[in-house]
Amino acid sequence: MQGDLDKTIAILPFYNRFGNVEEDYFGLSLAEEIINALIHIPGISVISHSSSLKYKNTDLEQLAIGEELKVNSILEGTFSKNGKGVSIHCSLYDISSKDKIWTGRFDEYLFDISASYTNLITQVVDAIRDNYGHFDFESLFLKNKTASEDAYDYYLKGKFFRNRWTKEDYEKAIKLIKKAL
């Protein structure tokens, strides 16, 4: 990819390979945090989380989504959680050439969920950097969010339910975020 005009990207919600709806928050939060890490980088235009969110569970292929969003590249991914372990698989697509330009797998043990989550995001953003050219991102988002694994998990779940925009889900979000505090 060359030139700033080529540096437009959409991060799609990560698909839960095991289909456990209670774990969907993890994939949505992961995509949102990758977006949050990239939006502060000069020269890269990132589609908002809310615009990408409508492609969760869609039948459209990545190339069609990229053309619809008018981006040069799409990052898609899947995740699976098994006990305290998580595995994510990502692919980066170049829309204009219709090529898959990168794919990666990252495994993490969620002993300290905040640090593990940050490590996963760092690895994915680092791989994107390898395909876009050098940029610094670590100082933009790599701060431990909490020392409590449970608190961070409640926070992520709360954000997930908040973004579903129903009264019942909003009430769940409030309870979960209160637990995080």
Side-chain angles (χ1 to χ4, degrees), residues 163-177:
N163 290 333
R164 292 178 63 174
W165 297 103
T166 68
K167 182 180 178 186
E168 295 82 18
D169 287 333
Y170 195 72
E171 289 170 356
K172 284 181 191 175
I174 290 170
K175 288 177 184 175
L176 288 164
I177 290 173

Side-chain angles (χ1 to χ4, degrees), residues 37-54:
L38 293 173
I39 61 172
H40 300 289
I41 301 182
I44 295 180
S45 177
V46 184
I47 297 299
S48 72
H49 180 65
S50 58
S51 294
S52 296
L53 190 58
K54 75 178 187 176

Side-chain angles (χ1 to χ4, degrees), residues 9-178:
I9 188 168
I11 311 299
L12 298 181
F14 280 62
Y15 175 73
N16 181 350
R17 285 193 314 219
F18 288 158
N20 181 352
V21 176
E22 299 214 357
E23 299 291 340
D24 278 354
Y25 75 93
F26 188 86
L28 294 174
S29 296
L30 189 60
E32 184 177 19
E33 290 297 325
I34 293 168
I35 290 168
N36 290 340
L38 293 173
I39 61 172
H40 300 289
I41 301 182
I44 295 180
S45 177
V46 184
I47 297 299
S48 72
H49 180 65
S50 58
S51 294
S52 296
L53 190 58
K54 75 178 187 176
Y55 296 102
K56 182 181 185 303
N57 300 327
T58 184
D59 290 334
L60 285 176
E61 292 185 10
Q62 300 81 2
L63 300 176
I65 294 170
E67 290 171 359
E68 195 171 293
L69 290 172
K70 296 178 178 30
V71 295
N72 185 263
S73 55
I74 291 270
L75 178 79
E76 69 154 4
T78 63
F79 76 95
S80 56
K81 284 180 77 178
N82 186 6
K84 289 288 187 181
V86 65
S87 179
I88 64 170
H89 297 251
C90 304
S91 297
L92 184 65
Y93 295 88
D94 182 309
I95 302 306
S96 59
S97 70
K98 299 181 178 15
D99 291 332
K100 183 188 289 189
I101 57 176
W102 170 80
T103 188
R105 175 183 170 174
F106 307 100
D107 298 304
E108 191 72 33
Y109 181 72
L110 299 175
F111 179 71
D112 174 350
I113 193 167
S114 179
S116 299
Y117 199 74
T118 298
N119 188 41
L120 286 170
I121 294 164
T122 302
Q123 291 177 69
V124 173
V125 173
D126 203 32
I128 292 170
R129 173 172 55 186
D130 289 346
N131 287 282
Y132 270 44
H134 182 76
F135 52 78
D136 291 319
F137 65 90
E138 288 87 352
S139 64
L140 298 173
F141 77 106
L142 300 181
K143 299 176 182 81
N144 276 344
K145 293 167 177 51
T146 181
S148 168
E149 176 182 340
D150 290 336
Y152 192 62
D153 200 42
Y154 287 133
Y155 165 74
L156 293 176
K157 288 178 183 177
K159 279 182 28 176
F160 168 74
F161 283 108
R162 179 199 68 201
N163 290 333
R164 292 178 63 174
W165 297 103
T166 68
K167 182 180 178 186
E168 295 82 18
D169 287 333
Y170 195 72
E171 289 170 356
K172 284 181 191 175
I174 290 170
K175 288 177 184 175
L176 288 164
I177 290 173
K178 282 182 180 180

